[in-house]
Amino acid sequence: EDKVVQSPLSLVVHEGDTVTLNCSYEVTNFRSLLWYKQEKKAPTFLFMLTSSGIEKKSGRLSSILDKKELFSILNITATQTGDSAVYLCAVEARNSGNTPLVFGKGTRLSVIA
Amino acid sequence: DSGVTQTPKHLITATGQRVTLRCSPRSGDLSVYWYQQSLDQGLQFLIQYYNGEERAKGNILERFSAQQFPDLHSELNLSSLELGDSALYFCASSVGVHSYNEQFFGPGTRLTVL
């Protein structure tokens, strides 16, 4: 069964800290890995990763994928209170008879001033 | 505002009942996706339609069904409701058929089954 595990489940940091969120997966016919940010409402897309070792970056957020070790990390530097959210990792499977998109349970990040 | 609309915002009903959730995609988007988010299961992909045809199916129960109409809006029908069906149901839309990185989520319908 396809599986995505995120760690830690929750994290509390102070403004200015750097955080690393982890996502490991077991999926047949891997196609891509996606990161989303979910505040009080619907998820919003952050990154899609398909190739190993290539960092995707957007401002203070960056992410990288390791297809050999089957994990990805999401880094947030110089955290701000606006970064407080649940961060979701999802893995897309290619032409799978099972669900094509499997989500982890998320990491709840709280940034305090 | 993502441009995806969902109605109703909240729905409270009793076990055994049937409800219909509605989603209107962004203008120009052909794909509609349905997701369920509950506290214990997290976010789960249910089903995807592209231009009226079912394209991908996830962990959708047999009591649930969906369709996409010619005007591209979609409905998710939930029947014989159980307490465990209480959740937030999201709809998302995208232009393409394999476009998880380009999908925009609606605000969700919160379903409470009593």
Side-chain angles (χ1 to χ4, degrees):
Chain A
E1 184 183 331
D2 295 341
K3 187 166 65 171
V4 176
V5 177
Q6 291 186 246
S7 64
L9 286 180
S10 69
L11 192 53
V12 181
V13 301
H14 288 95
E15 270 193 316
D17 287 351
T18 293
V19 298
T20 298
L21 310 184
N22 303 292
C23 175
S24 64
Y25 62 91
E26 293 176 27
V27 172
T28 51
N29 298 321
F30 174 90
R31 186 185 179 112
S32 68
L33 184 144
L34 303 103
W35 284 97
Y36 296 86
K37 177 182 182 182
Q38 185 174 23
E39 297 172 86
K40 290 186 179 178
K41 37 197 175 178
T44 54
F45 169 77
L46 294 174
F47 297 112
M48 183 172 79
L49 302 147
T50 56
S51 301
S52 248
I54 298 176
E55 185 183 51
K56 291 281 182 90
K57 198 170 169 63
S58 176
R60 296 177 294 101
L61 278 67
S62 64
S63 183
I64 197 160
L65 174 67
D66 185 328
K67 287 169 77 171
K68 182 179 175 186
E69 299 298 329
L70 307 182
F71 78 91
S72 173
I73 58 172
L74 175 68
N75 280 319
I76 308 175
T77 59
T79 52
Q80 302 170 357
T81 54
D83 295 327
S84 296
V86 174
Y87 290 84
L88 297 167
C89 171
V91 175
E92 181 190 2
R94 185 192 306 269
N95 297 323
S96 171
N98 299 319
T99 182
L101 194 65
V102 180
F103 285 85
K105 295 284 179 73
T107 292
R108 181 174 296 277
L109 174 64
S110 299
V111 182
I112 54 178
Chain B
D1 184 358
S2 66
V4 179
T5 60
Q6 290 188 247
T7 57
K9 286 186 180 178
H10 302 276
L11 196 48
I12 301 174
T13 188
T15 54
Q17 295 298 304
R18 174 189 169 93
V19 297
T20 297
L21 313 183
R22 184 188 168 99
C23 169
S24 292
R26 292 187 320 153
S27 177
D29 285 358
L30 298 178
S31 269
V32 169
Y33 313 76
W34 284 99
Y35 297 88
Q36 179 194 58
Q37 187 170 39
S38 60
L39 283 174
D40 55 341
Q41 296 291 327
L43 189 62
Q44 293 195 87
F45 175 96
L46 294 179
I47 198 163
Q48 178 200 0
Y49 281 82
Y50 178 78
N51 205 19
E53 300 288 327
E54 182 185 304
R55 289 305 301 255
K57 205 165 186 176
N59 299 321
I60 187 165
L61 299 172
E62 285 189 14
R63 299 183 286 108
F64 296 1
S65 65
Q67 56 183 327
Q68 187 179 27
F69 294 87
D71 67 353
L72 301 176
H73 91 272
S74 178
E75 292 180 357
L76 179 66
N77 299 297
L78 316 176
S79 61
S80 303
L81 285 167
E82 301 175 359
L83 296 177
D85 298 327
S86 295
L88 194 50
Y89 290 84
F90 287 110
C91 164
S93 73
S94 68
V95 172
V97 63
H98 288 303
S99 303
Y100 297 112
N101 59 321
E102 296 172 339
Q103 60 181 327
F104 291 83
F105 282 78
T109 293
R110 182 168 295 281
L111 173 66
T112 303
V113 182
L114 300 175

